[in-house]
Amino acid sequence: MRRRRLHRVAMWLVLLACSGPDTPPAPASDTGAPMPPPEWAIGTWRVSGYLLPGISALDAAGAAAFTGDSIVLARRTALLPAARCDEASYRELLRPTDTLLAEYRLLPGALPLPGPKVTVLELLCEGQPMTALGATLQVTGTDSLLSPWDGAFFVLTRDRR
């Protein structure tokens, strides 16, 4: 009887280990060179929430005001809540999670990042980095992103492709 119970527990552990978390896409290129948007990023993303893990220029009410806004990423254009770019290109990088957190002066575990490395997508307009909500995207899952802006981290979920 005890052996059968141990066998069932072992089988559940194997099944849980194989299922794994929602795995985000790995960057197509980690060179930092401007490129067209990766296929996984193209589409409409909706601000579905926010995190305030550290010091922020926004309070909860200010961050909540962006809930429901959309970000549209296309091959040549990008439409952000407060900006538009008709000559968009992207830089896709794989960054160590601890380095990324240190840049924002956050402790380990302060953000729901997927593992030891994070895919970061930076939006460029006419070859120059943009500074707006949606211009920097950190991949947290296949259909979820974080966008840091003014000390807040906005949760983006895929609305449609």
Side-chain angles (χ1 to χ4, degrees), residues 69-158:
D69 283 357
S70 60
I71 293 166
V72 180
L73 303 177
R75 297 203 189 290
R76 294 193 174 169
T77 61
L79 189 59
L80 309 178
R84 177 187 174 101
C85 179
D86 292 319
E87 292 184 37
S89 60
Y90 301 82
R91 237 189 327 236
E92 189 175 21
L93 304 163
L94 190 59
R95 304 282 313 280
T97 299
D98 56 349
T99 302
L100 193 67
L101 290 170
E103 287 175 11
Y104 293 105
R105 295 186 175 109
L106 297 174
L107 296 173
L111 295 174
L113 299 174
K117 295 196 175 191
V118 179
T119 300
V120 176
L121 188 66
E122 297 175 345
L123 173 61
L124 307 173
C125 190
E126 298 178 3
Q128 299 300 312
M130 292 186 71
T131 55
L133 172 57
T136 300
L137 303 169
Q138 301 163 349
V139 180
T140 58
T142 54
D143 286 326
S144 61
L145 307 168
L146 288 178
S147 183
W149 188 62
D150 274 354
F153 288 78
F154 292 90
V155 178
L156 306 179
T157 51
R158 183 174 297 284

Side-chain angles (χ1 to χ4, degrees), residues 45-59:
W45 298 84
R46 181 109 21 228
V47 177
S48 59
Y50 62 89
L51 302 168
L52 299 171
I55 298 171
S56 175
L58 296 171
D59 61 7

